[in-house]
Amino acid sequence: MPPRLVLIDGSSYLYRAFHALPPLSNAAGEPTGALYGVVNMLRAVLKERPDYVAFVQDAPGPTFRDALYPAYKATRQAMPDDLVAQVEPMLAIVAALGIPILRVPGVEADDVIGTLARQAHADGIEVTISTGDKDFAQLVAPGITLVNTMTNTTLDSAGVVERFGVQPGQIVDYLALMGDSVDNIPGVDKCGPKTAAKWLAAYASLDGVIAHAGEIGGKIGENLRRALPQLPLS
């Protein structure tokens, strides 16, 4: 069997644990609910005894996307204080477990995970991305899978098609068409998952949808044509 690398999406772990568990605290009144959840998820990963593992977390400061699109994530709510208080303790726990922590200034953790996944895959290493973030579905391929430790589910290429209605290689275009209110990515107004999947089934890619935008009728067609200037950036 090929060696196996597990890339842990630190932000996904922290947020999912924070929202999934009750507001626990220690004797000093410090919040610990997210820490408890993260530790349990880390234990599940380590129990599988991967050959390599890394915990990837966003570095402080802006990224290149902020320069490209100043409104990027502008509408995202600030991290709750109770969660902020658990970030550094979480990193200390990860380090104490002997798991390398990767934080690269100027890029997001997603970029680091994507780069490492592709490089490891090219080197014949089996890659598991431990996350609850749908954006990583674009990386899924034979030898690269997603695992959600909160739900104990695995997403492979067939799973991506079943869940989203598009191939992994179309996920970026699929998300661009729909937009993302969390990250303040506009997309096409009123374009939901079914419409995005239908367009990509017909035209294969975002470039194909743009090229055939004049053929799409109705209000949604008008919305598409109105969104054309911003779609490549999405």
Side-chain angles (χ1 to χ4, degrees):
M1 290 182 62
R4 180 165 167 258
L5 165 66
V6 176
L7 296 169
I8 298 170
D9 179 5
S11 293
S12 173
Y13 267 38
L14 190 64
Y15 271 97
R16 288 175 69 82
F18 180 74
H19 291 293
L21 295 170
L24 306 176
S25 60
N26 60 19
E30 298 166 330
T32 59
L35 295 176
Y36 178 76
V38 168
V39 168
N40 282 337
M41 287 188 281
L42 290 174
R43 289 176 62 190
V45 169
L46 296 177
K47 187 178 180 180
E48 298 294 325
R49 296 187 177 277
D51 299 281
Y52 312 104
V53 61
F55 189 94
V56 189
Q57 183 76 7
D58 287 325
T63 72
F64 71 95
R65 287 185 179 83
D66 297 293
L68 285 173
Y69 181 50
Y72 180 58
K73 294 187 177 180
T75 57
R76 179 175 287 193
Q77 294 183 346
M79 182 182 289
D81 291 342
D82 279 358
L83 188 53
V84 171
Q86 297 179 73
V87 173
E88 291 305 320
M90 175 192 69
L91 294 175
I93 290 171
V94 174
L97 289 170
I99 300 174
I101 299 170
L102 303 179
R103 305 175 87 181
V104 180
V107 299
E108 296 185 16
D110 293 16
D111 302 307
V112 178
I113 290 173
T115 299
L116 292 176
R118 290 279 170 82
Q119 289 179 344
H121 184 249
D123 289 339
I125 298 172
E126 182 179 308
V127 180
T128 298
I129 302 172
S130 188
T131 183
D133 188 344
K134 67 182 184 302
D135 291 0
F136 286 112
Q138 64 188 276
L139 297 171
V140 170
I144 302 178
T145 56
L146 307 186
V147 171
N148 187 329
T149 52
M150 290 286 287
T151 60
N152 197 31
T153 55
T154 299
L155 200 65
D156 58 10
S157 297
V160 171
V161 175
E162 181 179 354
R163 178 176 173 184
F164 300 104
V166 298
Q167 297 292 331
Q170 296 175 306
I171 286 290
V172 172
D173 293 347
Y174 172 84
L175 296 174
L177 288 167
M178 292 194 301
D180 188 335
S181 60
V182 174
D183 289 342
N184 201 32
I185 304 297
V188 177
D189 188 34
K190 301 296 190 296
C191 177
K194 290 183 179 179
T195 299
K198 181 177 72 173
W199 286 348
L200 291 172
Y203 305 117
S205 67
L206 180 62
D207 287 342
V209 173
I210 291 172
H212 292 272
E215 303 170 13
I216 298 173
K219 181 65 175 177
I220 192 66
E222 295 176 13
N223 293 346
L224 170 61
R225 289 183 286 278
R226 191 178 302 115
L228 289 179
Q230 72 203 16
L231 275 180
L233 184 60
S234 297

